[in-house]
Amino acid sequence: MKKFIVSPAPHIHSKQSTRSLMVDVIIALVPTLAVSIYAFGFSAIQLVLVGVVTCVLTEYLIEKFIMHSKVTIDDCSAIVTGLLLALNMPPSAPWWLVMIGSIMAIGVGKMTFGGIGQNIFNPAIFGRVFLLVSFPVLMTDWSIPQAWLAAGKVDAVTGPTPLSIVREGLAAGQTVPQIFAANNFDSLSRLFINIGGSVGEISAVALLIGMVYLLVRRVITLTIPLSVILTVFCMTGIFWLIDPLHYTNPVFNVFTGGVLIGAIFMATDYVTSPMTFRGQVIYGIGIGVITVLIRLFGSYPEGISFAILIMNAVVPLLNKYIKPARYAKGV
Amino acid sequence: MNTVLITIASLTLMGFILAVVLYFVAQKFKVEEDPRIDDVEALMPGANCGGCGHAGCRSFAESVVKAPSIGNEFCPVGGNAVMKKVAAYLGQTVEEKKPEVAVVRCNGSFDNRERANYYDGYSSCKVMLSLYTGDTGCNFGCAGLGDCVDACKFDAIHMNSITGLPEVDDEKCTGCGSCVKACPQNLIELRSKGIKDRRVVVLCRNTDKGAVTRQVCRAGCIGCGRCVKVCPFEAITLENNLAYIDPEKCRLCRKCVEVCPTGAIHAFNFPPRVPVEVTMADALPLKND
Amino acid sequence: MEKTFRLGGIHPQDNKLTSEAPVEIFPILPKVYISMAQSLGAPATPVVTKGEKVKVGQVIGKPSAFISGFVHASVSGTVTDVVPMADLAGRKVMHVVIDVEGDEWLPEIDRSKTVIRAIKASREEIIEKIKNAGVVGLGGAGFPTWIKLSPPPGKKAEFLIINGSECEPYVTADDRSMREQPEEIFIGGEIMLKALGIAKGFVGIEDNKKAAIAKMKESAKHYPHFEVVVLKRKYPEGGEKQIINAITGRRVPSLGLPIDTGCVVQNVGTALAVYDAVQKNKPLVESVITVTGKCIAQQRNFVMRVGTSFAQILDAIGGLPVEAAKFISGGPMMGKAVANVNASVLKGTSAFLLLTEKETKREPESACIRCSKCVQVCPMGLEPYLLYKLSKNGRGIAELERNDIQDCIECGCCLYSCPAHIPLLDVIRIGKSTALKDIKSRAAKK
C-alpha cells in the first residue's frame, strides 16, 4: 500500500527561504552596483569582489575549522554583508582595507555571536565602524580613484563629501545658500549620480529602485525605511525652518550621505532589527534622531552608521518590552 | 606630580566611602538562610536533573533541611551513598533503596514493525503523537524521535539507528526518571537493577487483542498467557492482553523467554547461552569410519 | 469597500481548481463505516447491534454527553459490525459498519427538490429538530450546532454570520453550494435567526468567488434580514474570530467565545444542513466534498454519504496518481494529513486534497533570522518566534501565558511564511495545550 507523508498542518509553504530573501537583497543592490561601477570603474569592482570573497571565505573557514558546525555560506547572507560593506567604503580605499573590514564584520561581528541569526550588530556596519575608527584617514579619503566611463560627464566633487563640504564651509563662516551655490548642490542630476561619498551612496535613484524591488518582493516592509527617512526629514526640517542660513534643507539631508542606503539596506537587516511593528517604528525614529544629532552637532559629518549600531544594541530591549497589537486585547 | 596626588587621594576617598556604604547595605539587606542548606547542597551530585522531583539540587537541599524528616525524599542520582551522607549530616537515618535503571518496553524495531507512513513534522515524539498514532500501525509503541534522549542529562540513552529504538546504557543510567516523564507513550519503566544487572522484561505495551497486535508488530505481546503458565514463581500477570513481570517476584529463571512465541520477553545482561550449534567435531563422521 | 480582519494574514495561491465543477452525486459503495466521533466532544454511543436492518436516516448513535451528537445511518442495509476502528489519525474510535442494500429512506424524510420557504416550526422545535438531526458545524471543528444556537443565560446574540468565505486554498464545497442552492442557505439562515430570536444576519464571502457573490446577492433580495458582505481574499478570513472582526469590527476576548461579541458564526454548509433538518426532516447524512489536487486528473465536487471509506473514494476517482505523496482531509492550511486510508468520511469533511512531494515536503530547518514575518502574519497579534522558543524548552508556562499563547488559533500562517522553515506551529501547539491545561486547572481550583 502507498505510504503517505503525514505532518501537522499547514501542508503548503510560501516559496520564500532565507536564501531567496538574501538573493533578493543582492538583486536589489544591482542598480546601485551598476551606477558605482559606471562612476568608479575598476576600483568599485575590486572593492566589491574582495569584500564578498573575504566575507564568504571567513564564514566558511570559521564554521568549518573553528566552530565545527554546519557550513551555512549557501544562504548567501555573507555575500550580502560583503556587498554592503564594500558599498560603504570610500571609492579609493585599498583592497586590503575592505579585506580587514570583511574579516572583522564576519569574524567578530557575526560568528562570535554564533553565526546567522545570533548577532547583535549589523555585521557590515560593525566592519565599517571598525575601519572608520581604526583607519580614520583612509576611510575619509574621498578622492576619486580614476576617471573611467563617467570621466568628465558628471559634476564631480573631488575631495570631501557634500556633508563635509557643508561642515567645513560653515566652520569657515559661510552660509548654507552660499555653499550650495558654490558647489551646485541643488542640481537635480545629483539624485541620479552624486560622486563624493561612499561607493554605495552614489545614486539615490538606484537605491530607491532597489527599495521598490524589495517591497514588491515582500522582503522588507516600509516601516523601518520610512520611519528613518521621515525622522531625518522632519528633524532637519525643523532646524532648517528656524535657521536656513546655518542648517541645510531636509531634502538635501535625506538624499545625501548614507541615509538612504542605511535606511533601506542596513537598518532593515532582519537579525538586528526589532520584530514588532511598534518596535520597528521606535527603532527607525531612534536611528533618524541619532543620525541628525551626529550630523549637526557631532564631530563626524555623517552619523548613520553609528546611529544604526547604537539602535542595534537597543533591539533586544525593544523585542522584550514592545509587544505587537494583540487581537484579543483590542490594542 | 600634584595631579597624581589628587588622583590617588580622591580615588582612595571614594573607595573608602563606597566600602562603608556597601557594608551597611549588605547588613541591611542580608538574607537569613539556614547554613545547612549550603552544606547539604555540597553533598549533592550537582546534576540538577530534577529526578528527585525538585527543580534542582539546591531546592532538594532546601526541602530536606526544612522538613522535619527526610521521609520519602530520595536522590536517584547520588543513590544510597549520598542519601546516607545527607541523613548523617542532618542526624537522621534513611532506608536503603535498590538501585534502579530505565528500561524501554518496546521491541518494535524497523524489522519488527513496518512503517505505514512517513512523518514529516517537528522531530519530537510528543508533537508527532499529539497529531496521530505514529508512523507504524502500533498505537502503543515507541515513536522513535528521541524525546527520552533529549531528556537525559547523563548521556545514558541513545537512539540505535539500526533498530530505531532508544537504548539505555546501564553504566551511565542513574535511574533519575527524566526519560520516564518525557516518554509520551509511557514506555519507559524504572526497574530495580537486579542481581548482576540481570533483568527479564516484557518489551511491549500493546493492549490490543493478539490478532490486532500481530498485524502491526512481529515482536509484540499477544497476550497468549504461556509465560504466565510457565512461570514457577507467579511473577507474571496478564492484563488487557499484556503480560507484565513483577521484578520483585521474578527469579530470573528465563523460562518465559523460552516459551514466548513472539520474542516479546527479553532477558538483559545474561551471559550468552552455550551455543547449541553443530560444531566441526560433531559434524565429522569419525565413529562410522 | 471590501472588508477584512485587521491583523496579519497571508495570501497563499488560490488553486480553486474545482470552482466550475458542479456538485455530483457520489455513488453509494457496498460498505460504509460510520464513525461515532462525528462532532467535537464525546463520541456517540452506538444503539444498533450486529445483524440489525437500518434505513437511511435511522439513528444509530445517541449522544453520550452534553457536547456530543446523534449519528444516523447514511445508507440502508444490514449492520455487519460495531467495532473500534482506526480513524484517519490511526486512533481507535467506535464505528458502525453497514452492508448496503438498496437506498431506502425513512418515510418522514422529504427528498424532493422543492424549496419550502415557510418556517412553521417554533423556536423550541427548531432547536430540537437540529439536535435530533445531528447537525454539527461543517466549517472544521464540528461543534454541535444546536448548542451554538442556544446562547448561555446572560449572553445575547445580536448578529448571525453565515461564513461563506472559504479561505482555504483548493476547497470549493461552499462556493458550489452557494451557487447551486442560494435559497436553501438563506432559509437555513432565517431558521437560525428565528432560533436565536434576532433579525440581523450577514453572509461573508471572499471576493474570489464572484459567481457565488452574484447569486447570493440576487437571492438576498428576497431575504431582507440578510446582507451579503464581500470580504477581501486573505487567509484566514474564514476563521471565526477573523470573520467577526472583518464584518462587525468586534474582537472575541481572550479565552472567550464568539457569543461574547454578540455574534453567532455558522458555515454555509451548516445553514444547508439546518434547512434540511427543519424543513425536510432530513438528518445530516451527506455533505459536499471537493476532491482535488494538481496531480489528479478528475477535479470534482461530490455530495458524499457519511461513512464512505477514503480508499474507496481513491478507487472511484481513478486510483492514486503515482506522484501523490500526501493525502489531506480538508484544505492545505488546516486540514489533517491522512495516516490511515481506511478511515471514512465524517460529517465535517469538506475536501480531499492530494499533494505531491514537491508541493508539500518541508524544507530542512535553518537558523531563525528574526525576519519578523511570523509576527507580521499572525492574525491574533502574537509572536510565534517567541512562543516557539518558550514552548520548545518546555518550561515557563507562566511566561507562555503572559505572551498569550492561549489565543493562538493554529491557523498556520507563521509556519507557512517562515523563510527558515522552522516548525513554529508544531511546537506552539504543544505549548498551547500545556498552557490551556494549566489555565483550566487553576479555574477549577477557584
Side-chain angles (χ1 to χ4, degrees), chain C residues 357-370:
Chain C
E357 187 164 328
K358 200 169 160 245
E359 286 168 315
T360 187
K361 183 101 171 116
R362 294 195 183 175
E363 301 277 327
E365 182 184 342
S366 57
C368 173
I369 51 168
R370 293 192 263 171

Side-chain angles (χ1 to χ4, degrees), chain C residues 87-263:
Chain C
D87 67 359
L88 64 84
R91 296 195 177 93
K92 296 281 193 301
V93 174
M94 205 50 108
H95 278 66
V96 171
V97 186
I98 304 174
D99 264 356
V100 178
E101 290 149 18
D103 190 23
E104 202 181 330
W105 290 61
L106 285 182
E108 65 264 28
I109 298 172
D110 175 6
R111 295 189 65 206
S112 68
K113 293 262 173 212
T114 32
V115 178
I116 304 169
R117 296 192 177 80
I119 303 163
K120 290 189 195 110
S122 72
R123 208 165 146 180
E124 288 70 30
E125 280 168 354
I126 290 172
I127 301 282
E128 202 54 31
K129 276 191 168 183
I130 291 174
K131 187 177 175 183
N132 289 335
V135 181
V136 299
L138 301 184
F143 196 78
T145 302
W146 72 271
I147 300 178
K148 267 190 174 180
L149 294 178
S150 328
K155 304 231 164 110
K156 178 83 183 85
E158 287 173 65
F159 307 117
L160 171 72
I161 296 174
I162 295 187
N163 187 348
S165 64
E166 202 160 54
C167 56
E168 279 269 10
Y170 290 97
V171 187
T172 58
D174 290 350
D175 184 13
R176 289 311 306 183
S177 298
M178 287 189 285
R179 279 153 83 167
E180 293 175 23
Q181 295 175 289
E183 277 235 71
E184 285 91 329
I185 292 169
F186 279 114
I187 299 167
E190 291 283 348
I191 294 168
M192 288 192 274
L193 287 183
K194 191 170 175 185
L196 289 164
I198 54 174
K200 181 71 192 165
F202 297 98
V203 183
I205 311 173
E206 267 191 2
D207 63 1
N208 58 351
K209 289 177 268 294
K210 299 269 186 276
I213 293 169
K215 275 266 185 200
M216 291 296 279
K217 277 199 166 157
E218 191 181 322
S219 215
K221 285 175 194 157
H222 308 287
Y223 298 92
H225 291 150
F226 281 96
E227 185 186 325
V228 174
V229 182
V230 180
L231 303 169
K232 209 167 137 189
R233 189 187 94 78
K234 189 162 80 171
Y235 177 86
E237 192 80 80
E240 240 179 9
K241 291 176 177 167
Q242 276 61 44
I243 202 167
I244 288 173
N245 187 232
I247 291 179
T248 67
R250 301 178 186 185
R251 292 158 183 244
V252 182
S254 189
L255 299 172
L257 292 170
I259 192 72
D260 295 328
T261 62
C263 297

Side-chain angles (χ1 to χ4, degrees), chain B residues 284-289:
Chain B
L284 288 174
L286 288 175
K287 283 169 193 167
N288 285 359
D289 275 330

